[in-house]
Amino acid sequence: MAEAVFHPPRRKRRVFESYESPFPVDVGGKDFRICRAEIINNNVIVTNPEDIEQLYNKGYFGKGILSRSRPVYSISDPLLVTKWQGANLNMPIIASKKYQCHVQWAKSILQEQGFDDCSVTKILENYTQPLELPFLEEDGAEQTSNSCNRMGPNTESTELPRQSSTDTGNVVALSPENQNERCKKARLEGDPAFDPVAVRGSKEQEQGDLKEIAEVSCQKHGFLVHCGCKAEESTEQRSCEMIKSKECAPEYVLVQEEEEGSLCPEEDSAHAQENLVKKEKLVCRRNPFQIFEYLQLSLEEAFFLVYALGCLSIYYDEEPLTILKLWEVFSEVKPNFKTTYMAYHYFRSKGWVPKVGLKYGTDLLLYQKGPPFYHASYSVIAELVDDNFEGSLRRPLSWKSLSGLNRTTVNASKELMLCYLIRPSDMTEKEMSTPECMKRIKVQELIVTRWVSSRERSEQDEF
Protein backbone atom coordinates (compact mmCIF):
# COMPACT_ATOMS: atom_id res chain seq x y z
CA MET A 1 0.00 0.00 0.00
CA ALA A 2 1.56 3.25 -1.15
CA GLU A 3 1.81 6.34 1.00
CA ALA A 4 -0.84 8.96 0.26
CA VAL A 5 0.11 12.17 -1.47
CA PHE A 6 -1.83 15.11 -0.06
CA HIS A 7 -2.86 17.93 -2.35
CA PRO A 8 -3.71 21.43 -1.13
CA PRO A 9 -7.38 22.38 -1.39
CA ARG A 10 -8.40 24.38 -4.45
CA ARG A 11 -9.48 27.89 -3.52
CA LYS A 12 -12.43 29.38 -5.37
CA ARG A 13 -11.64 32.20 -7.76
CA ARG A 14 -14.33 34.54 -6.48
CA VAL A 15 -14.95 34.87 -2.78
CA PHE A 16 -17.64 37.35 -1.76
CA GLU A 17 -17.57 37.03 2.03
CA SER A 18 -15.21 36.96 4.96
CA TYR A 19 -14.57 34.11 7.36
CA GLU A 20 -16.18 34.71 10.75
CA SER A 21 -15.80 31.67 12.98
CA PRO A 22 -15.54 27.85 12.72
CA PHE A 23 -18.35 27.30 15.24
CA PRO A 24 -21.44 29.27 16.36
CA VAL A 25 -20.17 29.60 19.92
CA ASP A 26 -18.38 32.43 21.68
CA VAL A 27 -15.04 31.47 23.20
CA GLY A 28 -15.39 33.98 26.01
CA GLY A 29 -18.93 32.88 26.76
CA LYS A 30 -20.36 36.41 26.85
CA ASP A 31 -22.62 36.15 23.80
CA PHE A 32 -23.40 32.44 24.02
CA ARG A 33 -26.69 31.73 22.25
CA ILE A 34 -28.76 28.57 22.23
CA CYS A 35 -30.58 28.26 18.93
CA ARG A 36 -33.85 26.43 18.44
CA ALA A 37 -34.80 23.84 15.83
CA GLU A 38 -37.80 21.61 15.24
CA ILE A 39 -38.22 18.14 13.80
CA ILE A 40 -40.68 18.33 10.91
CA ASN A 41 -41.24 15.28 8.69
CA ASN A 42 -38.00 13.69 9.93
CA ASN A 43 -36.07 16.85 9.05
CA VAL A 44 -34.42 19.30 11.44
CA ILE A 45 -35.57 22.82 10.55
CA VAL A 46 -34.47 26.19 11.97
CA THR A 47 -37.04 28.97 11.45
CA ASN A 48 -35.75 31.89 13.53
CA PRO A 49 -33.89 34.34 11.22
CA GLU A 50 -31.35 35.19 13.94
CA ASP A 51 -30.64 31.51 14.56
CA ILE A 52 -30.31 30.90 10.83
CA GLU A 53 -27.76 33.67 10.51
CA GLN A 54 -25.85 32.45 13.57
CA LEU A 55 -25.62 28.82 12.47
CA TYR A 56 -24.77 29.41 8.83
CA ASN A 57 -22.38 32.34 9.14
CA LYS A 58 -20.38 30.62 11.87
CA GLY A 59 -19.53 27.15 10.66
CA TYR A 60 -21.76 26.90 7.57
CA PHE A 61 -24.20 24.48 9.17
CA GLY A 62 -27.19 23.47 7.06
CA LYS A 63 -28.55 24.93 3.83
CA GLY A 64 -31.52 27.01 2.77
CA ILE A 65 -34.47 24.93 1.64
CA LEU A 66 -34.93 27.21 -1.40
CA SER A 67 -31.27 28.02 -2.08
CA ARG A 68 -28.19 26.08 -3.11
CA SER A 69 -26.42 26.71 0.19
CA ARG A 70 -26.76 30.06 1.95
CA PRO A 71 -30.44 30.87 2.66
CA VAL A 72 -30.74 34.00 0.51
CA TYR A 73 -33.98 33.29 -1.35
CA SER A 74 -36.06 36.37 -2.11
CA ILE A 75 -39.47 36.58 -3.73
CA SER A 76 -38.42 39.81 -5.43
CA ASP A 77 -37.39 39.67 -9.11
CA PRO A 78 -33.81 41.05 -9.45
CA LEU A 79 -34.50 42.43 -12.93
CA LEU A 80 -37.55 44.32 -11.74
CA VAL A 81 -35.68 45.63 -8.71
CA THR A 82 -33.01 47.04 -11.02
CA LYS A 83 -35.64 48.44 -13.34
CA TRP A 84 -37.47 50.29 -10.54
CA GLN A 85 -34.48 51.18 -8.39
CA GLY A 86 -35.26 54.89 -8.75
CA ALA A 87 -38.47 54.39 -6.77
CA ASN A 88 -36.44 53.72 -3.58
CA LEU A 89 -38.95 51.22 -2.20
CA ASN A 90 -38.04 48.74 0.50
CA MET A 91 -40.62 46.24 -0.70
CA PRO A 92 -40.29 43.19 -2.96
CA ILE A 93 -41.25 43.66 -6.60
CA ILE A 94 -42.67 40.76 -8.59
CA ALA A 95 -44.25 40.32 -12.01
CA SER A 96 -47.99 40.03 -12.45
CA LYS A 97 -47.67 36.49 -13.77
CA LYS A 98 -45.81 35.36 -10.66
CA TYR A 99 -48.36 37.04 -8.44
CA GLN A 100 -51.18 35.20 -10.20
CA CYS A 101 -49.39 31.93 -9.44
CA HIS A 102 -49.47 32.80 -5.75
CA VAL A 103 -53.17 33.56 -6.03
CA GLN A 104 -53.81 30.19 -7.69
CA TRP A 105 -51.86 28.36 -4.97
CA ALA A 106 -53.88 30.09 -2.27
CA LYS A 107 -57.06 29.24 -4.18
CA SER A 108 -56.13 25.56 -4.29
CA ILE A 109 -55.50 25.50 -0.53
CA LEU A 110 -58.84 27.11 0.22
CA GLN A 111 -60.64 24.67 -2.07
CA GLU A 112 -58.95 21.74 -0.33
CA GLN A 113 -60.29 23.06 2.97
CA GLY A 114 -63.88 22.82 1.73
CA PHE A 115 -64.64 26.36 0.58
CA ASP A 116 -66.89 26.68 -2.46
CA ASP A 117 -65.70 28.54 -5.54
CA CYS A 118 -67.84 31.60 -4.84
CA SER A 119 -66.44 32.02 -1.32
CA VAL A 120 -62.89 31.46 -2.50
CA THR A 121 -63.24 34.09 -5.22
CA LYS A 122 -64.71 36.62 -2.80
CA ILE A 123 -62.03 36.00 -0.17
CA LEU A 124 -59.19 36.38 -2.65
CA GLU A 125 -60.68 39.47 -4.27
CA ASN A 126 -60.96 41.20 -0.89
CA TYR A 127 -57.53 40.06 0.20
CA THR A 128 -55.61 40.97 -2.97
CA GLN A 129 -57.20 44.31 -3.84
CA PRO A 130 -54.84 47.31 -4.31
CA LEU A 131 -53.73 49.02 -1.12
CA GLU A 132 -52.29 52.36 -0.11
CA LEU A 133 -48.61 52.37 -0.96
CA PRO A 134 -46.35 52.99 2.08
CA PHE A 135 -43.29 55.18 1.58
CA LEU A 136 -40.17 53.55 2.92
CA GLU A 137 -36.59 54.58 3.30
CA GLU A 138 -33.71 52.20 2.89
CA ASP A 139 -33.69 51.38 6.61
CA GLY A 140 -37.43 50.65 6.61
CA ALA A 141 -38.57 53.81 8.43
CA GLU A 142 -41.42 55.98 7.22
CA GLN A 143 -40.85 59.04 5.07
CA THR A 144 -42.40 62.45 5.53
CA SER A 145 -44.40 64.41 2.98
CA ASN A 146 -41.17 65.82 1.56
CA SER A 147 -40.09 62.28 0.77
CA CYS A 148 -43.11 61.87 -1.47
CA ASN A 149 -41.43 64.18 -3.98
CA ARG A 150 -38.67 61.67 -4.52
CA MET A 151 -41.09 58.78 -4.96
CA GLY A 152 -42.88 60.34 -7.89
CA PRO A 153 -46.01 58.32 -8.60
CA ASN A 154 -48.13 59.82 -11.29
CA THR A 155 -51.64 58.51 -10.60
CA GLU A 156 -53.41 57.39 -7.47
CA SER A 157 -51.51 56.35 -4.39
CA THR A 158 -51.61 52.62 -5.07
CA GLU A 159 -49.69 52.79 -8.34
CA LEU A 160 -46.27 53.78 -9.60
CA PRO A 161 -46.57 54.23 -13.39
CA ARG A 162 -43.78 53.65 -15.88
CA GLN A 163 -44.04 54.01 -19.65
CA SER A 164 -42.32 51.25 -21.60
CA SER A 165 -41.60 53.27 -24.75
CA THR A 166 -38.66 55.64 -25.03
CA ASP A 167 -38.76 57.08 -21.49
CA THR A 168 -38.47 53.80 -19.60
CA GLY A 169 -35.75 55.00 -17.28
CA ASN A 170 -37.65 57.85 -15.65
CA VAL A 171 -40.46 57.90 -13.11
CA VAL A 172 -42.95 60.76 -13.58
CA ALA A 173 -43.28 63.00 -10.51
CA LEU A 174 -46.36 64.32 -8.78
CA SER A 175 -47.17 67.96 -8.50
CA PRO A 176 -46.62 69.45 -5.02
CA GLU A 177 -50.35 69.98 -4.47
CA ASN A 178 -51.20 66.35 -5.19
CA GLN A 179 -48.35 65.19 -2.98
CA ASN A 180 -49.53 67.26 0.00
CA GLU A 181 -53.12 66.10 -0.43
CA ARG A 182 -51.99 62.53 -0.62
CA CYS A 183 -49.83 62.67 2.47
CA LYS A 184 -52.61 64.43 4.41
CA LYS A 185 -55.09 61.80 3.32
CA ALA A 186 -52.81 59.03 4.54
CA ARG A 187 -52.47 60.71 7.93
CA LEU A 188 -56.19 61.39 8.33
CA GLU A 189 -57.50 58.02 7.29
CA GLY A 190 -54.68 55.83 8.61
CA ASP A 191 -52.01 55.78 11.26
CA PRO A 192 -48.71 57.73 11.13
CA ALA A 193 -47.02 54.74 9.50
CA PHE A 194 -49.28 55.10 6.42
CA ASP A 195 -51.05 51.84 7.13
CA PRO A 196 -52.03 50.30 3.76
CA VAL A 197 -55.04 48.60 5.33
CA ALA A 198 -56.41 51.57 7.27
CA VAL A 199 -57.39 53.65 4.22
CA ARG A 200 -59.93 51.11 3.09
CA GLY A 201 -62.85 52.60 5.00
CA SER A 202 -64.47 53.43 8.28
CA LYS A 203 -63.98 51.82 11.67
CA GLU A 204 -66.82 49.37 11.06
CA GLN A 205 -65.27 48.24 7.81
CA GLU A 206 -61.89 48.02 9.52
CA GLN A 207 -63.33 45.75 12.20
CA GLY A 208 -64.95 43.63 9.52
CA ASP A 209 -61.65 43.35 7.70
CA LEU A 210 -59.91 42.26 10.89
CA LYS A 211 -62.59 39.63 11.43
CA GLU A 212 -62.18 38.42 7.86
CA ILE A 213 -58.41 38.30 8.18
CA ALA A 214 -58.70 36.39 11.46
CA GLU A 215 -60.76 33.75 9.68
CA VAL A 216 -58.64 33.59 6.54
CA SER A 217 -55.09 34.83 7.02
CA CYS A 218 -52.98 33.24 9.71
CA GLN A 219 -49.52 34.57 10.50
CA LYS A 220 -48.55 31.23 12.05
CA HIS A 221 -49.20 29.27 8.87
CA GLY A 222 -47.90 31.87 6.43
CA PHE A 223 -50.68 31.70 3.87
CA LEU A 224 -54.46 31.76 3.60
CA VAL A 225 -55.66 29.10 5.99
CA HIS A 226 -59.01 28.67 7.71
CA CYS A 227 -57.41 27.63 10.98
CA GLY A 228 -59.45 29.58 13.51
CA CYS A 229 -56.48 31.61 14.77
CA LYS A 230 -57.43 34.97 16.27
CA ALA A 231 -56.04 38.30 15.15
CA GLU A 232 -54.42 39.33 18.42
CA GLU A 233 -52.56 42.32 17.00
CA SER A 234 -54.17 45.57 16.00
CA THR A 235 -54.00 46.99 12.50
CA GLU A 236 -51.49 49.59 13.63
CA GLN A 237 -49.13 46.95 15.04
CA ARG A 238 -49.37 44.91 11.88
CA SER A 239 -48.60 47.89 9.68
CA CYS A 240 -45.57 48.80 11.79
CA GLU A 241 -44.30 45.24 11.55
CA MET A 242 -44.83 45.30 7.80
CA ILE A 243 -42.80 48.47 7.42
CA LYS A 244 -39.93 47.31 9.62
CA SER A 245 -39.91 43.71 8.43
CA LYS A 246 -37.12 42.47 6.19
CA GLU A 247 -38.12 38.81 5.98
CA CYS A 248 -37.90 36.83 2.77
CA ALA A 249 -41.68 36.26 2.68
CA PRO A 250 -43.35 39.64 3.28
CA GLU A 251 -47.08 40.09 3.53
CA TYR A 252 -47.09 43.04 1.10
CA VAL A 253 -45.55 43.09 -2.38
CA LEU A 254 -45.40 45.44 -5.33
CA VAL A 255 -46.83 43.88 -8.49
CA GLN A 256 -45.76 45.19 -11.88
CA GLU A 257 -48.87 45.41 -14.03
CA GLU A 258 -49.47 46.68 -17.54
CA GLU A 259 -52.14 48.94 -18.95
CA GLU A 260 -52.66 50.14 -22.49
CA GLY A 261 -52.59 53.84 -23.33
CA SER A 262 -52.40 56.05 -26.42
CA LEU A 263 -49.70 58.60 -27.08
CA CYS A 264 -51.94 60.63 -29.44
CA PRO A 265 -55.58 60.33 -28.34
CA GLU A 266 -56.70 63.23 -30.57
CA GLU A 267 -55.95 61.29 -33.77
CA ASP A 268 -58.39 58.95 -35.45
CA SER A 269 -58.83 55.37 -34.30
CA ALA A 270 -56.54 53.88 -36.98
CA HIS A 271 -53.55 55.96 -35.96
CA ALA A 272 -54.42 55.55 -32.29
CA GLN A 273 -54.23 51.78 -32.62
CA GLU A 274 -50.75 52.09 -34.10
CA ASN A 275 -49.57 54.41 -31.36
CA LEU A 276 -50.85 52.28 -28.48
CA VAL A 277 -48.10 51.65 -25.94
CA LYS A 278 -48.02 49.60 -22.78
CA LYS A 279 -47.63 51.50 -19.55
CA GLU A 280 -46.22 49.69 -16.57
CA LYS A 281 -47.12 50.48 -13.00
CA LEU A 282 -46.44 49.13 -9.54
CA VAL A 283 -49.47 48.17 -7.47
CA CYS A 284 -49.23 47.38 -3.76
CA ARG A 285 -51.11 44.18 -2.88
CA ARG A 286 -51.15 41.55 -0.18
CA ASN A 287 -49.30 38.34 -0.88
CA PRO A 288 -51.90 35.54 -0.52
CA PHE A 289 -49.33 32.74 -0.51
CA GLN A 290 -46.19 33.57 1.43
CA ILE A 291 -43.10 31.44 0.91
CA PHE A 292 -40.67 31.21 3.80
CA GLU A 293 -37.12 29.93 3.53
CA TYR A 294 -35.83 27.97 6.48
CA LEU A 295 -32.47 26.43 7.33
CA GLN A 296 -32.43 22.65 7.02
CA LEU A 297 -29.81 20.81 9.06
CA SER A 298 -28.66 17.31 8.30
CA LEU A 299 -29.07 14.86 11.17
CA GLU A 300 -25.31 14.80 11.68
CA GLU A 301 -25.07 18.60 11.81
CA ALA A 302 -27.99 18.87 14.20
CA PHE A 303 -26.61 16.28 16.60
CA PHE A 304 -23.14 17.83 16.52
CA LEU A 305 -24.59 21.22 17.50
CA VAL A 306 -26.49 19.62 20.38
CA TYR A 307 -23.95 17.06 21.63
CA ALA A 308 -20.55 18.56 20.85
CA LEU A 309 -21.23 22.31 21.05
CA GLY A 310 -24.38 22.55 23.15
CA CYS A 311 -25.65 25.55 21.17
CA LEU A 312 -28.83 24.00 19.76
CA SER A 313 -32.04 22.75 21.31
CA ILE A 314 -34.26 20.50 19.18
CA TYR A 315 -38.00 20.30 19.80
CA TYR A 316 -40.63 17.82 18.73
CA ASP A 317 -44.28 18.70 19.41
CA GLU A 318 -43.12 21.67 21.50
CA GLU A 319 -41.08 19.36 23.75
CA PRO A 320 -37.25 19.51 23.88
CA LEU A 321 -35.47 16.25 23.19
CA THR A 322 -32.53 14.98 25.23
CA ILE A 323 -29.25 13.85 23.72
CA LEU A 324 -30.05 10.17 24.30
CA LYS A 325 -33.50 10.60 22.76
CA LEU A 326 -32.01 12.33 19.71
CA TRP A 327 -29.46 9.53 19.32
CA GLU A 328 -32.31 7.02 19.37
CA VAL A 329 -34.65 8.96 17.10
CA PHE A 330 -32.00 9.80 14.50
CA SER A 331 -30.88 6.15 14.42
CA GLU A 332 -34.45 5.10 13.64
CA VAL A 333 -34.91 7.73 10.95
CA LYS A 334 -31.53 6.95 9.36
CA PRO A 335 -30.26 3.40 10.02
CA ASN A 336 -26.62 4.31 9.28
CA PHE A 337 -26.75 7.49 11.36
CA LYS A 338 -24.28 6.25 14.00
CA THR A 339 -21.67 5.49 11.37
CA THR A 340 -22.03 8.73 9.45
CA TYR A 341 -22.16 10.83 12.60
CA MET A 342 -18.94 9.33 13.96
CA ALA A 343 -17.22 10.23 10.70
CA TYR A 344 -18.79 13.71 10.76
CA HIS A 345 -17.72 14.30 14.36
CA TYR A 346 -14.19 13.16 13.58
CA PHE A 347 -13.66 15.42 10.58
CA ARG A 348 -15.37 18.43 12.20
CA SER A 349 -13.01 18.05 15.13
CA LYS A 350 -10.10 18.10 12.66
CA GLY A 351 -11.18 21.48 11.27
CA TRP A 352 -12.95 20.31 8.12
CA VAL A 353 -16.48 21.37 7.17
CA PRO A 354 -18.33 18.16 6.20
CA LYS A 355 -21.40 18.44 4.00
CA VAL A 356 -23.74 15.82 2.56
CA GLY A 357 -22.04 13.94 -0.29
CA LEU A 358 -25.14 12.51 -1.95
CA LYS A 359 -24.41 14.48 -5.13
CA TYR A 360 -21.27 12.40 -5.75
CA GLY A 361 -22.55 9.09 -4.40
CA THR A 362 -20.71 9.29 -1.06
CA ASP A 363 -21.55 10.04 2.57
CA LEU A 364 -19.65 13.28 3.10
CA LEU A 365 -17.79 16.03 1.27
CA LEU A 366 -14.93 17.71 3.12
CA TYR A 367 -14.36 21.46 2.69
CA GLN A 368 -11.52 23.57 4.01
CA LYS A 369 -12.98 26.54 5.97
CA GLY A 370 -16.31 26.28 4.14
CA PRO A 371 -18.01 25.99 0.73
CA PRO A 372 -17.74 29.74 -0.05
CA PHE A 373 -13.94 29.62 0.07
CA TYR A 374 -12.71 26.26 -1.23
CA HIS A 375 -13.91 23.43 -3.40
CA ALA A 376 -14.44 20.10 -1.67
CA SER A 377 -11.20 18.17 -1.34
CA TYR A 378 -12.46 14.68 -0.48
CA SER A 379 -15.50 12.50 -1.01
CA VAL A 380 -15.82 10.22 2.00
CA ILE A 381 -17.42 6.80 2.42
CA ALA A 382 -17.76 5.78 6.08
CA GLU A 383 -17.82 2.15 7.19
CA LEU A 384 -18.10 0.66 10.69
CA VAL A 385 -15.87 -2.42 11.12
CA ASP A 386 -14.34 -4.47 13.93
CA ASP A 387 -10.68 -4.95 14.85
CA ASN A 388 -10.16 -7.31 11.91
CA PHE A 389 -11.77 -4.91 9.43
CA GLU A 390 -14.72 -7.25 9.16
CA GLY A 391 -18.41 -6.58 9.58
CA SER A 392 -21.63 -6.06 7.69
CA LEU A 393 -20.62 -3.28 5.32
CA ARG A 394 -23.35 -0.80 4.43
CA ARG A 395 -22.33 -0.68 0.78
CA PRO A 396 -20.03 -3.51 -0.33
CA LEU A 397 -17.92 -2.23 -3.21
CA SER A 398 -16.84 -4.42 -6.09
CA TRP A 399 -13.81 -3.49 -8.17
CA LYS A 400 -16.14 -2.31 -10.90
CA SER A 401 -18.25 -0.06 -8.65
CA LEU A 402 -15.17 1.24 -6.84
CA SER A 403 -13.51 2.13 -10.13
CA GLY A 404 -16.61 3.95 -11.36
CA LEU A 405 -17.01 5.87 -8.10
CA ASN A 406 -13.35 6.84 -8.14
CA ARG A 407 -13.57 8.03 -11.75
CA THR A 408 -16.62 10.17 -10.90
CA THR A 409 -14.79 11.69 -7.94
CA VAL A 410 -11.61 12.42 -9.93
CA ASN A 411 -13.59 14.06 -12.73
CA ALA A 412 -14.95 16.46 -10.11
CA SER A 413 -11.38 17.31 -8.99
CA LYS A 414 -11.74 15.49 -5.69
CA GLU A 415 -10.22 12.46 -4.04
CA LEU A 416 -12.06 9.41 -2.80
CA MET A 417 -11.52 8.57 0.87
CA LEU A 418 -12.61 5.45 2.72
CA CYS A 419 -13.09 6.19 6.43
CA TYR A 420 -13.05 3.04 8.57
CA LEU A 421 -14.51 3.41 12.05
CA ILE A 422 -12.99 0.60 14.09
CA ARG A 423 -14.88 -0.50 17.16
CA PRO A 424 -13.50 -2.99 19.72
CA SER A 425 -14.71 -6.54 19.43
CA ASP A 426 -15.98 -6.52 23.01
CA MET A 427 -18.22 -3.48 22.48
CA THR A 428 -21.87 -4.40 23.00
CA GLU A 429 -25.00 -3.01 21.42
CA LYS A 430 -25.91 -1.45 24.74
CA GLU A 431 -22.77 0.65 24.60
CA MET A 432 -23.61 1.64 21.03
CA SER A 433 -26.99 2.95 22.19
CA THR A 434 -25.35 6.09 23.60
CA PRO A 435 -22.98 8.59 21.97
CA GLU A 436 -20.40 7.79 24.65
CA CYS A 437 -19.38 4.81 22.54
CA MET A 438 -17.33 7.17 20.35
CA LYS A 439 -14.66 7.32 23.07
CA ARG A 440 -13.61 3.76 22.17
CA ILE A 441 -13.84 4.14 18.40
CA LYS A 442 -10.66 4.37 16.33
CA VAL A 443 -10.51 5.89 12.85
CA GLN A 444 -8.40 4.92 9.86
CA GLU A 445 -8.48 6.84 6.59
CA LEU A 446 -7.68 5.35 3.21
CA ILE A 447 -7.35 7.46 0.06
CA VAL A 448 -8.16 5.63 -3.16
CA THR A 449 -6.22 6.70 -6.26
CA ARG A 450 -6.14 5.30 -9.76
CA TRP A 451 -2.92 3.57 -10.71
CA VAL A 452 -1.76 4.57 -14.21
CA SER A 453 0.91 2.24 -15.56
CA SER A 454 2.36 4.74 -18.05
CA ARG A 455 2.71 7.38 -15.35
CA GLU A 456 4.34 4.83 -13.05
CA ARG A 457 6.92 3.89 -15.72
CA SER A 458 7.76 7.52 -16.48
CA GLU A 459 8.36 8.21 -12.78
CA GLN A 460 10.67 5.19 -12.53
CA ASP A 461 12.60 6.33 -15.60
CA GLU A 462 13.29 9.64 -13.91
CA PHE A 463 15.10 7.85 -11.10
Side-chain angles (χ1 to χ4, degrees), residues 26 32 77 96 186 211 224 244 289 310 347 384 404 443 450:
D26 184 27
F32 185 78
D77 189 340
S96 178
K211 181 179 179 181
L224 293 178
K244 296 180 181 179
F289 191 92
F347 289 114
L384 183 62
V443 181
R450 180 167 170 251

Side-chain angles (χ1 to χ4, degrees), residues 75-185:
I75 188 178
S76 192
D77 189 340
L79 297 179
L80 295 182
V81 172
T82 304
K83 182 178 180 181
W84 293 90
Q85 60 183 352
N88 193 25
L89 287 169
N90 192 21
M91 295 179 66
I93 305 176
I94 63 176
S96 178
K97 185 177 180 180
K98 185 175 183 180
Y99 184 78
Q100 292 302 321
C101 291
H102 286 228
V103 175
Q104 291 298 323
W105 295 337
K107 182 178 180 180
S108 301
I109 291 178
L110 291 175
Q111 290 176 343
E112 292 175 358
Q113 294 175 356
F115 288 89
D116 57 82
D117 294 341
C118 182
S119 300
V120 170
T121 303
K122 183 179 179 181
I123 290 173
L124 291 177
E125 285 181 354
N126 294 335
Y127 194 84
T128 60
Q129 62 180 331
L131 302 173
E132 179 74 18
L133 184 65
F135 300 103
L136 305 178
E137 293 178 347
E138 293 182 356
D139 58 353
E142 62 172 297
Q143 293 184 6
T144 61
S145 59
N146 294 332
S147 302
C148 301
N149 298 330
R150 296 186 311 198
M151 291 289 303
N154 158 354
T155 56
E156 55 183 342
S157 57
T158 58
E159 302 174 357
L160 279 177
R162 177 185 291 268
Q163 184 171 315
S164 61
S165 56
T166 56
D167 301 331
T168 56
N170 300 322
V171 179
V172 183
L174 272 177
S175 64
E177 296 178 359
N178 292 336
Q179 293 165 359
N180 293 333
E181 289 180 4
R182 181 166 158 195
C183 295
K184 289 178 181 179
K185 179 180 178 182

Side-chain angles (χ1 to χ4, degrees), residues 98-389:
K98 185 175 183 180
Y99 184 78
Q100 292 302 321
C101 291
H102 286 228
V103 175
Q104 291 298 323
W105 295 337
K107 182 178 180 180
S108 301
I109 291 178
L110 291 175
Q111 290 176 343
E112 292 175 358
Q113 294 175 356
F115 288 89
D116 57 82
D117 294 341
C118 182
S119 300
V120 170
T121 303
K122 183 179 179 181
I123 290 173
L124 291 177
E125 285 181 354
N126 294 335
Y127 194 84
T128 60
Q129 62 180 331
L131 302 173
E132 179 74 18
L133 184 65
F135 300 103
L136 305 178
E137 293 178 347
E138 293 182 356
D139 58 353
E142 62 172 297
Q143 293 184 6
T144 61
S145 59
N146 294 332
S147 302
C148 301
N149 298 330
R150 296 186 311 198
M151 291 289 303
N154 158 354
T155 56
E156 55 183 342
S157 57
T158 58
E159 302 174 357
L160 279 177
R162 177 185 291 268
Q163 184 171 315
S164 61
S165 56
T166 56
D167 301 331
T168 56
N170 300 322
V171 179
V172 183
L174 272 177
S175 64
E177 296 178 359
N178 292 336
Q179 293 165 359
N180 293 333
E181 289 180 4
R182 181 166 158 195
C183 295
K184 289 178 181 179
K185 179 180 178 182
R187 290 195 186 93
L188 291 175
E189 297 185 2
D191 56 84
F194 293 171
D195 182 12
V197 185
V199 298
R200 294 174 58 186
S202 61
K203 294 183 179 179
E204 296 180 358
Q205 182 179 356
E206 183 177 347
Q207 293 175 357
D209 292 343
L210 285 176
K211 181 179 179 181
E212 178 184 338
I213 293 172
E215 295 178 351
V216 178
S217 176
C218 176
Q219 297 292 333
K220 179 179 179 181
H221 295 89
F223 45 78
L224 293 178
V225 179
H226 187 75
C227 58
C229 296
K230 302 298 181 182
E232 300 178 354
E233 301 174 350
S234 64
T235 308
E236 181 177 355
Q237 291 174 338
R238 291 186 54 181
S239 64
C240 293
E241 287 184 359
M242 182 274 297
I243 290 179
K244 296 180 181 179
S245 175
K246 292 187 178 180
E247 295 181 357
C248 60
E251 182 181 359
Y252 298 88
V253 295
L254 294 176
V255 184
Q256 178 179 276
E257 300 179 357
E258 294 182 351
E259 62 178 358
E260 291 187 352
S262 177
L263 287 178
C264 304
E266 67 279 358
E267 298 181 2
D268 56 3
S269 59
H271 293 286
Q273 287 291 336
E274 297 177 358
N275 294 329
L276 280 178
V277 294
K278 292 183 178 180
K279 293 182 179 180
E280 296 173 344
K281 59 183 179 180
L282 292 182
V283 182
C284 181
R285 299 180 185 271
R286 283 198 190 93
N287 183 10
F289 191 92
Q290 300 178 35
I291 301 176
F292 297 88
E293 181 170 32
Y294 302 137
L295 185 72
Q296 180 178 354
L297 299 172
S298 67
L299 301 183
E300 292 80 9
E301 291 174 326
F303 194 83
F304 183 84
L305 292 170
V306 175
Y307 173 71
L309 300 181
C311 63
L312 182 68
S313 181
I314 301 179
Y315 288 74
Y316 182 73
D317 288 341
E318 300 299 328
E319 292 292 334
L321 301 180
T322 63
I323 292 178
L324 293 179
K325 187 64 176 178
L326 287 173
W327 184 264
E328 176 185 352
V329 170
F330 288 172
S331 300
E332 293 178 359
V333 173
K334 186 177 181 180
N336 61 331
F337 167 74
K338 297 176 182 178
T339 302
T340 55
Y341 176 74
M342 291 178 188
Y344 181 94
H345 189 105
Y346 172 77
F347 289 114
R348 262 289 182 181
S349 303
K350 294 292 184 180
W352 293 96
V353 178
K355 305 298 287 186
V356 177
L358 182 62
K359 183 177 180 180
Y360 297 99
T362 56
D363 297 317
L364 299 172
L365 293 176
L366 301 185
Y367 291 87
Q368 179 73 20
K369 293 179 67 175
F373 306 99
Y374 292 90
H375 295 279
S377 300
Y378 300 99
S379 295
V380 181
I381 294 179
E383 291 288 357
L384 183 62
V385 297
D386 57 14
D387 294 335
N388 299 321
F389 284 84

